[in-house]
Amino acid sequence: MDKWEYKSIKFETKGFFSTLLEIEDFNFKLNELGNEGWELVSCIPIGGSDGQTVEVTAVFKRKK
């Protein structure tokens, strides 16, 4: 049976309404982790009290 390890990374949004994700930084980190063998499983938007996305949590997995 395969065994997995998991990693979660938070990316904060920016901008006046906190709705902008620095896509170049986001892609750089995704590629960096992909080169280390991590596979992106999911991206979860985390909302603030006003319903806007304040951060995105990316979840990765790789075989142990």
Side-chain angles (χ1 to χ4, degrees):
M1 174 184 269
D2 292 332
K3 294 192 179 202
W4 302 91
E5 61 180 323
Y6 295 89
K7 176 182 280 222
S8 297
I9 305 287
K10 291 182 181 181
F11 296 92
E12 292 185 13
T13 57
K14 300 183 183 343
F16 182 70
F17 290 109
S18 296
T19 56
L20 301 174
L21 186 62
E22 295 289 339
I23 198 69
E24 291 166 0
D25 295 340
F26 185 72
N27 286 337
F28 179 82
K29 190 63 175 177
L30 292 181
N31 286 319
E32 183 178 68
L33 290 168
N35 289 332
E36 294 175 12
W38 293 99
E39 178 182 356
L40 179 65
V41 176
S42 183
C43 282
I44 306 157
I46 307 297
S49 60
D50 55 2
Q52 297 172 354
T53 300
V54 295
E55 67 185 33
V56 174
T57 299
V59 181
F60 300 84
K61 73 175 184 179
R62 72 176 175 188
K63 286 186 181 179
K64 279 189 161 188

